Amino acid sequence: MTRPRSVSGTRRCQIDSGWEFSPATAGLAPDQLDQLDWKPAVAPNTAAGALRDLKAWDWDSKVDFDASDWWWRVRLEGANAPSGSAVLGFDGLATLADVWLDGEHLLSSDNMFVAHQIPVELHGSHDLLIRCAALAPELAKKRPRPRWRVPMLVHAQLRWFRTSLLGRMPGWSPPCPAVGPWRPVWVEQSALTIGKTDLRNHVEGDKGVVDVSLELGEGVTAARLIIEGESQSASGELSLRDGRWCGRAEIAAVRLWWPHTHGEPVRYRVSVEALQDGESANIDFGHTGFRTIEIEREHGDFALRVNGVDVFCRGACWTPLDVVKLAGTPQALREAMDQVCTAGMNMLRVSGAMVYEDDAFLDALDERGVLLWQDLMFANMDYPEDEAFVAGVLHEVDQQLERLQARPSLALICGNSEVEQQAAMSAAGRELWAPPIFHQTLAAQVEALGIPYVTSSAQGGAFPHAANAGTSSYYGVGAYLRPLEDARRSGLVFASECLAFANIPHDSGLPAGSALRVHHAAWKARSPRDLGAGWDFDDVRDHYVGRLYGVDPVMLRTIDHERYVELGRAVTGEVMAQAFAEWRRARSPARGALIWFLRDLWPGAGWGVLDAHGIPKPSYYALGRALAPVAMSVSDEGVNGLLIHLINDQAMPLSGVINVVLYHDGEVVVGRGTCDVVVPAHAAIDVAATDLFDGFLDLSFAYRFGPAGSNVLHAVLIVGDSVRAEAHWFAQGQPGTRERDVGLRAVAVPDEGSDDYRLTVECSRFAQSVAIDAPGFTADDGWFHLLPGQPRVVSLRRDEGRAAAKRGTIVALNAEARARFDLTPLTPLTP
């Protein structure tokens, strides 16, 4: 946020059109460029993105982007070449880059995460030339060997280069490493020069305080800091001290910024008004928010406290919306953040294997009330500690902290992704588990700004990946094939990543031509895996299909592939929901958990709960129910019976009624129970299910005095006249078999004046994991359990750019028969 959004009297022009690009043999000189085959391009872009724009590259193309030099050129003229003194800006060049202007060498850069601003004199037209040099020859050079190995990487010497690992991890990343001007290139003229700015926000009592220190150009005689909210404003005069304008402004009775699950993310606009040569100039810094953030770490705990309230952090690890160009439009980012909030998530982590996201991403987090766990861009490797490397890293991190430090969404900075864990798992000596660059150098840099800092994404226990202390990468349930009970038995405290499964999308999210066969080459080529492993994450999913539904997934895949895919689609969401139910209950030591990937990097059964196009998978809907601010779940406590867990993240207590209905054979009601409850604000409570009934019932089927009295338990929390949460329990496990028909039926009614529908779904017998298929529409819920007499209304939103079907279908996991419904619009569907 610290970089100005706009400055009155300043003209900035982004150089986005008129570019040409071409690959070249590594080492080609600038005076040999006439021999290249130049093609048109736009910027910002990457080599893969530019080729894709020309339809000259796709996922199946075999292009080694790191083996060639990539040249980019553009003619600066007109608005792109304002006459006089100007600044030429490069917000990111990947990765080994040189820049020439009219043949004069301006810049060398060896860090794709560093921005550059170069003063230039412009007159008429000019030729701008960028070379992004081949990385492969540099990787081949002999350098000291790392002290531990990294299974997910082919080139261990990537540790010497400040570039993203995306595109360079063939086990789970598509083959599109970033090469080129991946962030904007621009030219700017300003009458008011603004140097390095230090802008910080904090809370003092009931006041919101902004402190600023910035360099302003010659001729400035006065400056004032301004804070503006919807109905509040404040200002403070700045004074000149040692060449910097410094001061503060305070908002009394400030409205705090909260994660959206716990309150309202209130923001205030911050600006500086400067008087230069008698003229007023406004410097707009965008929005900030006021909140306190603390991390409780005593005795192995890791609890995030916002405004004095413990927040259970749940969400996902973020991936770029376009892994090729590494960017998303502000509108696409806002839509993605809507999906995050709808799923009940309140935290996203940008992993050290990705890239630093741009200001539009940070704006969306701030606006929607989503916390940010920000890794620095280091992952798994044994990074150098030599002086030149560390100096470059300090410059990179300084730039990023300047952008991040006043962001209300920023929860913490993390030194790296899994470096300590990787060292420990590779049998490196214990003295190597705490690299000084992360434990001392970068820790001091971040903590000097008062920002919470974590040395690594997995740290704090007897070994870095221990789940029962500090933060960890938890894959007990998941890759390590532990039973679902391990979610509780592990004593998980905070999972910076967890629950990675090859989540099967709908057909539109799979590779073209895969024909929904899991062993098709196009499918398996994109199944996430560690290099050299004898298994992939399809195998992990299959393991839990067997555990949850009591079937042999290998045999099922052989004889009934369609059924195999249905169970595979349902199981990962069910497992995730059960794990989060354990972690969110009142007596759990867990303080947060982030699933590994919100969205797939490319089409296929990837780790995301959204597919590569942003369309929800079945697991997304299951998470949405499990992570809601008001949620309910049921757990089996063995001979102690069933416990009903109620969670209320909201700022006000919840007073309501729990109703429980017991069903035999999924149809006959054999029991009803009810009780009044009050759930305090920001709290969770447990209610013994037997307290809702007059006599003893073996609801958990632990005593087995006879046949189970019921096979399905349905619990709802009613507040006022509305159902706020529901939960189901299966005394003998979820059925893995099907019956002919459960009486599913659905009617779609158009929303007047739109292309959307309201779909009412009902059944005659218990319907398990009800799936809605309406091509061209996205449902706001799906894969839910449904009981007789409990109709469910689902919104179907029309998808832009996708052909719409005139008919949809619904099906339950425990039924063979499908039901159809018509989609007859009141208004013509958009093409």
Side-chain angles (χ1 to χ4, degrees), residues 106-440:
L106 289 187
L107 169 68
S108 288
S109 176
D110 60 1
N111 188 330
M112 74 174 283
F113 306 122
V114 168
H116 305 273
Q117 297 183 17
I118 310 297
V120 293
E121 292 291 330
L122 300 178
H123 304 282
S125 61
H126 303 268
D127 292 317
L128 180 63
L129 184 67
I130 301 173
R131 177 184 63 198
C132 296
L135 194 58
E138 295 298 319
L139 291 172
K141 291 181 179 178
K142 188 173 183 180
R143 291 182 175 87
R145 296 179 62 185
R147 294 168 292 182
W148 62 80
R149 60 184 295 271
V150 180
M152 67 183 188
L153 292 174
V154 174
H155 297 291
Q157 297 299 4
L158 278 167
R159 68 197 186 104
W160 290 91
F161 299 93
R162 298 305 300 136
T163 193
S164 176
L165 299 184
L166 280 173
R168 299 182 172 100
M169 296 175 288
W172 56 268
S173 174
C176 53
V179 182
W182 72 289
R183 285 286 189 247
V185 179
W186 46 268
V187 62
E188 178 180 282
Q189 277 190 325
S190 175
L192 178 60
T193 302
I194 302 171
K196 182 175 174 59
T197 301
D198 184 3
L199 192 149
R200 307 186 191 188
N201 59 333
H202 65 281
V203 178
E204 291 182 4
D206 69 343
K207 295 185 297 186
V209 181
V210 174
D211 291 292
V212 69
S213 171
L214 74 164
E215 299 171 350
L216 297 175
E218 296 180 0
V220 174
T221 57
R224 186 164 58 103
L225 175 64
I226 302 169
I227 310 173
E228 299 172 290
E230 285 187 3
S231 59
Q232 297 170 289
S233 64
S235 64
E237 297 299 323
L238 306 185
S239 58
L240 188 59
R241 306 172 195 164
D242 299 323
R244 298 182 65 83
W245 291 88
C246 306
R248 67 166 42 186
E250 301 176 351
I251 286 276
V254 68
R255 298 180 63 202
L256 298 178
W257 184 98
W258 286 92
H260 76 95
T261 50
H262 288 66
E264 184 181 354
V266 179
R267 299 187 302 158
Y268 292 80
R269 181 169 290 279
V270 178
S271 62
V272 169
E273 189 176 90
L275 190 65
Q276 182 185 38
D277 299 328
E279 298 289 333
S280 178
N282 183 267
I283 308 166
D284 181 10
F285 287 103
H287 289 88
T288 191
F290 298 97
R291 82 290 181 266
T292 63
I293 288 189
E294 308 162 86
I295 299 178
E296 174 60 53
R297 307 192 203 208
E298 291 186 7
H299 311 298
D301 201 0
F302 192 90
L304 193 73
R305 191 169 294 125
V306 181
N307 301 326
V309 173
D310 285 344
V311 172
F312 184 89
C313 301
R314 67 273 194 177
C317 295
W318 175 263
T319 55
L321 295 186
D322 183 348
V323 70
V324 177
K325 294 188 177 182
L326 300 176
T329 66
Q331 177 62 27
L333 288 164
R334 285 192 291 269
E335 291 173 357
M337 219 57 66
D338 286 343
Q339 292 178 306
V340 168
C341 294
T342 299
M345 299 179 180
N346 60 18
M347 176 177 272
L348 293 176
R349 173 181 165 219
V350 176
S351 156
M354 303 293 159
V355 295
Y356 299 108
E357 289 290 332
D358 63 12
D359 288 343
F361 171 78
L362 300 174
D363 288 344
L365 291 175
D366 292 345
E367 181 181 356
R368 294 308 310 272
V370 178
L371 294 161
L372 172 63
W373 170 309
Q374 177 67 62
D375 282 9
L376 302 177
M377 291 301 115
F378 300 89
N380 296 81
M381 295 184 286
D382 177 19
Y383 288 94
E385 297 274 355
D386 72 87
E387 185 176 348
F389 183 86
V390 171
V393 165
L394 287 171
H395 179 53
E396 165 196 327
V397 173
D398 184 59
Q399 284 193 353
Q400 298 304 324
L401 293 178
E402 187 177 358
R403 296 176 57 228
L404 292 164
Q405 65 187 40
R407 292 284 184 174
S409 57
L410 180 64
L412 62 89
I413 297 289
C414 178
N416 62 72
S417 172
E418 293 188 342
V419 166
E420 296 176 28
Q421 170 177 310
Q422 192 68 62
M425 283 187 161
S426 300
R430 188 175 290 269
E431 72 280 1
L432 300 180
W433 296 2
I437 190 173
F438 303 117
H439 279 252
Q440 286 97 48

Side-chain angles (χ1 to χ4, degrees), residues 577 580-581 584 625-635 643-648 657-660 675 677 685 687 692 713-718 723-728:
F580 273 101
R584 294 190 72 191
R625 294 185 283 271
L627 303 185
V630 176
M632 181 184 228
S633 65
V634 178
S635 67
L643 272 185
I644 299 172
H645 307 281
L646 294 171
I647 298 99
N648 175 28
V657 177
I658 299 177
N659 285 339
V660 170
C675 73
V677 292
I685 65 169
V687 177
L692 279 70
L713 177 152
H714 182 220
V716 295
L717 171 65
I718 300 175
V723 174
R724 294 298 305 275
E726 69 172 343
H728 300 81

